[in-house]
Amino acid sequence: MTTLVSPEFVAEAQEIVDALNRDLIAVEDEMRTGADEIDPDRLNNLFRSAHSLKGIAGMFGLEEVAGLAHDMENVLDGMRLGKVSLDTRAVDVLFSCVDRFGVLIEEASRGVKGEGTGSQSLRDQLQKVAEGDEDEGGEDILDTIDIGEEVLGVLTEYEEHRLRENVKRGKNLFTLHTAFDLATFDQGLAQLDAALKGKGEVISKLPSSQETDPGTLAFDIIVGSELSQGELTEIITVDGAEIVPIARKNSKGSSAPAKKEAVPIGAPAPEAAATSEAAPAEAKPKPAKKAEAAKKAEPAPSPSPQRAAMQTVRVDIRRLDRLMNMVGELALTKMAVQRLSEELKQDIGFTGMAVELHKASRNFERRLADLQAGIMEVRMVPLDNLFERMVRIGRQIGRELGKRVRIEVKGAHTELDKLIVEDLADPLMHLIRNSVDHGLEAPDERRESGKDEEGRVRLTAVAQGNHVVVEIADDGRGINTEKVLARALERELITEERAREMTDREIFNILFMPGFSTADQVTEYSGRGVGMDVVKTNIAELSGIIDVESEMGVGTKTTVTLPITLAIIPALIVRIADRVYALPLNNVMETLSLQETQIKTIETREVISVRGTTVPLVDLREIFGMEGERSHDAFSVVAGVGESRMALVVDELIGQQDIVIKSLGRRLRNLPGIAGATELGNQKTILVIDMVGLINEMTSQNEERASAAR
């Protein structure tokens, strides 16, 4: 069944799912670090996100999303009210719900609407989580504090739960009497929240029945804090406010006899740190009217995001693609104007109209660069959402494998083109899986080898010029090159002669071969030899480069180098056999002067050595059937795609230029070795070499030769 949903729904729903994922990771972090209590605001955020998702899904008729979000909302509501335990099992179920939301939203974006039963298993699990805990019996802990029934009677269920939590954790409790101008009381309350942030919790804000000046509104605010009465007095600067401790009762149910005094703000702080045990009953705040208190809403209001939301717009990435294509066309116009300027300067000298045209050309160039940078900036998104998904995946796999895993993230704010980020998810997921499954040892093995029982995986990103470098490094056992070679020989992927010549890097590259695995048995996460093939293929399609470094007993690091965008790409303009070509610089690693003495022949193929690694030499004359001899002053352009490398022979390096690749049309679009065409400033059209296709073709030929040799 197909149902159209708006792109706005997809974008908003995905943002909510990302927020759910982010807050769940934070909750899991707090649980792992043994936090005394999960941040209540975090649970409130999760609850609100589930509620929002339910609302917009219902508007668009996505009943499965709305139903699952409704059940998740119920569980989260129970957690924030203290009725449902928040443990690792519950967090796993909530993470599974987030995964399911992602699938359903992706299907909705394609117009696919399921039967609505695919989430039933998760809904059953949510039901079990919700039923897992009963309310604690016995004495109500609120009976141990000196607070009147008239106050307890107007607290919301959530406020009552927060009050219990503060009592249970031994926090000091206070009632803050204050009044604000009727026109600006919301600002006053916001100031109060800001002053208490990180130092205490505002449990409830009750309208006060105390007499106040006309034009003001009084509040009795219940606060829980580790601070004493005196310390609290110093941080709250609201004029006229008074702080009164709420006493704890002794074991017989009577209030402690210690003295309780209201301290006006601005008055000298008490010498001794006042605690709630020092409060006399007569200072108890008067109750608020039920009707007014009932209007009190949910926990402390956060700053409204409405203004920020109104300042943002969502733009279809295809519109940005069209704009970027127009910029590419303008770049060609710019080069044509520059060429005319140079020709005019040669004809009449650098004077009069030639000077004016030169100035206009330079101004055009600057404005165009600003426009290109502006559009590029809009396309860029940070990697943080993607990294958060990877953190969750890594921890989940670690738990299921019985390994303790710490995922460290650095550089998550590094930005990449939106489309590249989307396509990077699968390769990163497989690399994280490999690190946790193959790389990290079991806790016992790590302890015996002198390592911390908790394995560490570092996920980092850093911008380097027009590229972003993403590293996945673990401190595990490293890659056993002997085992890789043995398995490759066993499967007749290489000859024994070749095995003896291979460097470590070449051995690591075997891991990317389709179907290759060193695992002794197939598990849920590994053993089929699919993951690294997916990594190689997807990274190659993004014009990325992969490098693997590993040391036995120390760990493995995989480095993925990606272009920041594929919209407008820098290219190296070269000449080969009197013809000009463009080589995408995203794949170019370095250029070298080619000396005949450097060229060797291995298994009938020419190769050169580049920094200790044997790289095949590729001459387009042979591939394209072009005539002419190789120049004596030739160069080799060392290029990489995925884990593969090659050195392309060129006769001349002409220069560097930004290009927009144009299609060759339906009949020629599958021409081997050619990615498309582009125009130069001199109104000439040249072909763009398909580096990915060329290296893949070369790799296939090598494998066929190796197979024939066996």
Side-chain angles (χ1 to χ4, degrees):
M1 181 176 180
T2 59
T3 304
L4 291 177
V5 296
S6 76
E8 286 75 17
F9 162 76
V10 174
E12 186 171 354
Q14 190 57 54
E15 284 180 6
I16 294 174
V17 172
D18 289 342
L20 282 168
N21 188 53
R22 189 163 50 246
D23 284 324
L24 278 175
I25 288 176
V27 166
E28 193 182 41
D29 271 340
E30 291 183 49
M31 293 170 66
R32 287 179 65 250
T33 54
D36 186 42
E37 181 187 16
I38 301 300
D39 185 352
D41 286 341
R42 192 85 63 195
L43 288 176
N44 285 327
N45 288 341
L46 285 165
F47 171 73
R48 292 187 187 111
S49 294
H51 181 77
S52 300
L53 186 59
K54 180 181 73 172
I56 64 168
M59 287 172 56
F60 286 89
L62 298 176
E63 295 178 1
E64 187 171 349
V65 176
L68 184 60
H70 174 74
D71 289 355
M72 187 177 184
E73 178 189 8
N74 286 342
V75 168
L76 289 167
D77 192 32
M79 288 176 174
R80 73 195 192 110
L81 294 176
K83 295 179 178 179
V84 176
S85 290
L86 180 54
D87 52 23
T88 54
R89 180 178 68 96
V91 170
D92 285 345
V93 175
L94 293 175
F95 270 132
S96 298
C97 291
V98 172
D99 287 340
R100 182 64 183 164
F101 286 139
V103 171
L104 293 174
I105 292 168
E106 192 275 332
E107 288 179 352
S109 70
R110 292 187 282 108
V112 177
K113 185 179 177 183
E115 298 298 324
T117 57
S119 304
Q120 191 54 50
S121 171
L122 276 176
R123 299 185 70 171
D124 293 342
Q125 292 180 55
L126 284 171
Q127 184 66 26
K128 290 179 181 175
V129 170
E131 294 172 348
D133 295 280
E134 301 293 336
D135 287 339
E136 294 179 4
E139 184 183 8
D140 189 347
I141 197 168
L142 293 185
D143 292 339
T144 64
I145 59 172
D146 189 13
I147 190 166
E149 287 296 328
E150 65 278 11
V151 175
L152 292 176
V154 296
L155 295 181
T156 64
E157 192 175 9
Y158 177 76
E159 290 169 344
E160 199 172 303
H161 163 64
R162 293 310 311 159
L163 183 59
R164 279 197 177 86
E165 287 296 306
N166 276 269
V167 175
K168 192 185 302 180
R169 298 177 192 287
K171 301 282 183 66
N172 296 324
L173 297 172
F174 304 94
T175 300
L176 174 63
H177 302 292
T178 186
F180 299 102
D181 188 273
L182 193 58
T184 60
F185 75 92
D186 54 339
Q187 297 173 15
L189 290 173
Q191 276 184 333
L192 194 62
D193 289 336
L196 286 168
K197 191 174 181 61
K199 302 179 178 67
E201 177 184 355
V202 175
I203 298 170
S204 177
K205 296 171 183 170
L206 300 171
S208 175
S209 60
Q210 289 182 334
E211 292 184 2
T212 59
D213 296 334
T216 62
L217 188 59
F219 290 89
D220 293 335
I221 300 171
I222 301 177
V223 177
S225 174
E226 300 277 3
L227 302 181
S228 67
Q229 184 181 13
E231 291 166 334
L232 206 58
T233 304
E234 292 178 0
I235 64 170
I236 296 177
T237 57
V238 180
D239 291 338
E242 290 183 350
I243 299 175
V244 180
I246 297 175
R248 287 183 186 275
K249 297 175 181 176
N250 58 28
S251 59
K252 295 181 180 178
S254 60
S255 300
K259 186 178 179 181
K260 180 172 76 173
E261 293 180 350
V263 176
I265 300 300
E271 291 180 4
T275 67
S276 53
E277 296 178 351
E282 56 270 23
K284 187 170 61 178
K286 293 181 180 179
K289 294 178 181 177
K290 278 196 175 184
E292 293 172 325
K295 294 180 182 176
K296 288 184 299 84
E298 294 286 312
S302 55
S304 170
Q306 187 177 9
R307 182 180 175 81
M310 293 172 63
Q311 292 175 334
T312 62
V313 293
R314 295 192 179 96
V315 180
D316 192 320
I317 192 73
R318 289 169 295 189
R319 294 188 181 183
L320 296 178
D321 283 341
R322 287 197 290 273
L323 283 175
M324 191 56 88
N325 282 335
M326 292 172 65
V327 170
E329 300 293 342
L330 285 174
L332 298 177
T333 304
K334 176 200 71 176
M335 287 185 282
V337 172
Q338 287 176 334
R339 179 177 56 81
L340 290 174
S341 173
E342 288 300 316
E343 290 178 358
L344 185 61
K345 189 166 66 175
Q346 291 177 3
D347 287 346
I348 67 172
F350 194 52
T351 181
M353 186 175 291
V355 173
E356 295 301 319
L357 184 57
H358 176 76
K359 289 181 180 177
S361 170
R362 294 301 301 271
N363 191 39
F364 181 23
E365 183 179 8
R366 285 193 293 270
R367 301 298 181 205
L368 184 60
D370 291 343
L371 177 61
Q372 181 177 337
I375 297 176
M376 284 295 303
E377 188 178 349
V378 175
R379 295 175 63 97
M380 293 296 166
V381 296
L383 287 165
D384 51 4
N385 280 339
L386 178 63
F387 277 16
E388 285 165 2
R389 272 189 274 165
M390 297 304 118
V391 169
R392 180 165 60 79
I393 289 171
R395 288 178 181 172
Q396 183 177 354
I397 296 173
R399 277 200 304 274
E400 293 174 5
L401 294 174
K403 297 180 179 179
R404 294 181 57 191
V405 181
R406 182 167 78 247
I407 311 286
E408 298 177 348
V409 171
K410 187 177 180 183
H413 296 300
T414 306
E415 293 185 332
L416 262 179
D417 189 295
K418 165 76 174 171
L419 294 180
I420 293 180
V421 171
E422 293 297 323
D423 290 339
L424 186 58
D426 274 354
L428 273 191
M429 180 190 69
H430 286 291
L431 289 172
I432 291 287
R433 278 185 170 188
N434 270 10
S435 287
V436 177
D437 189 9
H438 291 296
L440 297 184
E441 309 93 333
D444 292 346
E445 186 180 344
R446 291 181 66 86
R447 190 169 55 248
E448 289 172 2
S449 58
K451 294 182 178 178
D452 191 331
E453 287 186 9
E454 186 178 59
R456 187 177 59 180
V457 178
R458 287 198 321 274
L459 183 57
T460 61
V462 61
Q464 291 184 354
N466 288 327
H467 292 81
V468 165
V469 179
V470 179
E471 288 184 357
I472 303 93
D474 63 68
D475 65 346
R477 57 173 66 92
I479 298 174
N480 186 334
T481 53
E482 293 182 0
K483 188 173 183 180
V484 174
L485 282 177
R487 186 59 58 91
L489 288 168
E490 178 186 319
R491 296 188 55 188
E492 298 184 340
L493 298 175
I494 57 173
T495 63
E496 292 191 7
E497 179 185 4
R498 176 65 181 139
R500 286 193 292 272
E501 298 170 345
M502 294 180 81
T503 63
D504 282 352
R505 172 169 294 187
E506 290 170 327
I507 296 171
F508 299 151
N509 287 343
I510 295 176
L511 299 172
F512 293 97
M513 297 177 75
F516 185 86
S517 174
T518 57
D520 296 324
Q521 59 182 4
V522 176
T523 69
E524 182 181 353
Y525 300 111
S526 63
R528 299 186 187 279
V530 174
M532 296 304 276
D533 184 35
V534 169
V535 172
K536 177 193 73 174
T537 303
N538 290 20
I539 296 299
E541 287 176 353
L542 295 173
S543 294
I545 298 172
I546 306 172
D547 271 314
V548 179
E549 300 171 45
S550 184
E551 185 176 349
M552 283 290 290
V554 176
T556 301
K557 181 173 75 175
T558 304
T559 304
V560 178
T561 305
L562 295 161
I564 58 172
T565 183
L566 299 177
I568 289 183
I569 59 173
L572 184 65
I573 311 301
V574 301
R575 188 185 304 281
I576 305 173
D578 294 330
R579 297 181 187 178
V580 177
Y581 296 94
L583 307 178
L585 267 177
N586 293 333
N587 303 109
V588 174
M589 303 174 74
E590 59 183 318
T591 59
L592 303 169
S593 177
L594 184 61
Q595 306 294 327
E596 287 293 332
T597 54
Q598 299 172 333
I599 304 174
K600 298 178 182 178
T601 302
I602 296 179
E603 295 177 352
T604 73
R605 294 298 304 267
E606 287 185 326
V607 300
I608 62 172
S609 177
V610 178
R611 306 186 192 286
T613 300
T614 301
V615 178
L617 196 62
V618 177
D619 196 331
L620 287 184
R621 292 177 181 80
E622 298 175 8
I623 296 175
F624 294 161
M626 294 186 290
E627 296 181 352
E629 297 294 326
R630 185 181 300 171
S631 168
H632 294 295
D633 300 322
F635 296 87
S636 63
V637 178
V638 181
V641 174
E643 87 296 356
S644 302
R645 306 286 183 271
M646 72 172 180
L648 191 67
V649 178
V650 303
D651 295 326
E652 182 184 357
L653 302 174
I654 297 176
Q656 182 179 333
Q657 181 177 320
D658 288 344
I659 63 169
V660 176
I661 301 178
K662 303 291 185 181
S663 169
L664 291 175
R666 187 177 302 174
R667 292 185 178 179
L668 298 176
R669 65 184 176 186
N670 293 323
L671 206 60
I674 301 298
T678 191
E679 290 183 55
L680 298 180
N682 55 8
Q683 296 183 331
K684 288 183 179 178
T685 301
I686 63 172
L687 296 174
V688 181
I689 300 298
D690 178 9
M691 306 293 272
V692 177
L694 206 57
I695 289 183
N696 287 341
E697 176 65 20
M698 181 195 64
T699 304
S700 299
Q701 290 179 5
N702 287 343
E703 291 174 356
E704 288 173 5
R705 283 194 181 89
S707 178
R710 292 192 295 271

